[in-house]
Amino acid sequence: HNGDPSGSKSEAKVLNVFASQGRWQEALKCLSLLLAQGCECASRDFSCVISACSRGQWHSAHVLLKAIDQATVETATRTFNAAVSTCGKGFEWRGALVLMSGIGRAVLEPDVISCNAALSACEKGAEWQKALRLLDATGQAVLVPNVISCSTALSACEKSAEWQTALVLFAVMQRAVIEPNVISYNAAISACEKGAEWQKAPALLAAMGCAILEPDVISYSAALSACEKGIEWQRALVLFATMSRAVLGHHVISYNAALSACQKSAEWQRALALLAVMG
């Protein structure tokens, strides 16, 4: 069907049929044919790969890499990125890393997009160590990690309660002149909350203002929770009031954290006042 759009469409339909039936080997053959014809493939065309991954059959990834290798450099890179992104969306960090391990093949040109997609897969799987190794490998290559790369690795550490590693990474970001964004700060503040480092949480919240970043509900709620765990009811109420002045509205988590801080400090009158506001 080379050069025949109708033929390419029919091959794509066959691919989707195989994918929907879980017949990933046949689907990969169709994918290989499409790429050999120079056709672009959408993320949905990789559902067969995700199906294989879910059954622990990621040894089949070499088939996908071989198929991608037949395409032009531009098409191959876009196709590879789509495949890794699909793994990330499907919480399949193993598949993403297997694909990344083969990125040094002939026509593939790794870029920050594929690395960030693989990092996202690790973050969703709470695989913080693999995320850090991947970030380190990215930095050693010709690629330069960006704020998304670092923030994703930071979130992976935070989700795994690796608060010390998260804060070290946050400091590394700043030394590398990578400006942290709201997501970066939120992950760092949440890491402080999980590590019972309540003093650092308000400091990070204040640093957001210095960086001309607007803290959101997640920022305040995480800092409030950190103060609550440190039984710092006065600091918690100050943050709660600041949140009100910022016209952000209050989340259930922020109310609960402020209430819990008052309760732990036997400040029942202030707790009742908060309940009245909630009502």
Side-chain angles (χ1 to χ4, degrees):
H1 301 301
N2 195 20
D4 180 4
S6 62
S8 297
K9 288 180 180 179
S10 63
E11 290 290 351
K13 287 181 180 178
V14 172
L15 186 154
N16 288 324
V17 169
F18 285 144
S20 65
Q21 296 175 349
R23 297 164 64 182
W24 57 273
Q25 290 172 312
E26 291 95 332
L28 279 176
K29 288 179 182 177
C30 286
L31 178 63
S32 179
L33 181 58
L34 283 168
L35 291 170
Q37 294 171 353
C39 300
E40 292 287 343
C41 297
S43 294
R44 64 178 178 275
D45 297 328
F46 299 102
S47 58
C48 54
V49 179
I50 297 301
S51 175
C53 185
S54 65
R55 295 195 297 273
Q57 295 170 326
W58 266 108
H59 60 273
S60 64
H62 73 278
V63 181
L64 174 61
L65 289 167
K66 186 177 180 181
I68 292 174
D69 208 39
Q70 299 177 56
T72 62
V73 172
E74 187 178 358
T75 300
T77 301
R78 279 202 298 266
T79 303
F80 181 84
N81 289 348
V84 178
S85 295
T86 304
C87 291
K89 292 173 183 175
F91 292 81
E92 294 292 350
W93 61 268
R94 291 182 183 84
L97 292 182
V98 169
L99 286 171
M100 288 297 292
S101 68
I103 202 168
R105 306 212 174 188
V107 304
L108 284 174
E109 292 185 351
D111 59 18
V112 174
I113 295 173
S114 50
C115 291
N116 286 354
L119 281 167
S120 179
C122 293
E123 182 252 339
K124 288 176 181 174
E127 292 291 330
W128 67 275
Q129 291 171 309
K130 291 179 174 61
L132 290 181
R133 280 198 290 269
L134 181 57
L135 184 65
D136 183 59
T138 302
Q140 292 178 13
V142 294
L143 300 174
V144 178
N146 58 17
V147 65
I148 297 174
S149 317
C150 295
S151 296
T152 305
L154 210 162
S155 293
C157 295
E158 175 266 318
K159 287 184 177 178
S160 301
E162 290 291 329
W163 66 271
Q164 291 172 308
T165 307
L167 293 179
V168 168
L169 180 55
F170 187 82
V172 169
M173 282 180 70
Q174 294 175 309
R175 287 199 298 272
V177 200
I178 299 174
E179 292 293 336
N181 58 16
V182 173
I183 296 172
S184 316
Y185 273 100
N186 286 353
I189 294 170
S190 184
C192 292
E193 180 258 326
K194 289 181 178 175
E197 291 289 319
W198 73 265
Q199 302 99 325
K200 292 183 175 68
L204 283 168
L205 199 62
M208 290 182 75
C210 297
I212 319 177
L213 290 171
E214 290 289 338
D216 58 16
V217 173
I218 296 173
S219 316
Y220 279 105
S221 296
L224 269 164
S225 294
C227 292
E228 175 263 323
K229 287 186 177 179
I231 318 179
E232 289 291 324
W233 66 269
Q234 290 172 311
R235 185 63 64 90
L237 291 181
V238 168
L239 287 176
F240 193 83
T242 305
M243 192 175 178
S244 301
R245 290 195 297 271
V247 198
L248 284 171
H250 292 110
H251 192 273
V252 174
I253 294 174
S254 59
Y255 269 115
N256 288 345
L259 279 169
S260 181
C262 293
Q263 177 192 10
K264 288 179 179 178
S265 303
E267 291 290 329
W268 61 269
Q269 289 177 312
R270 287 180 170 81
L272 288 175
L274 279 174
L275 284 172
V277 173
M278 289 176 68

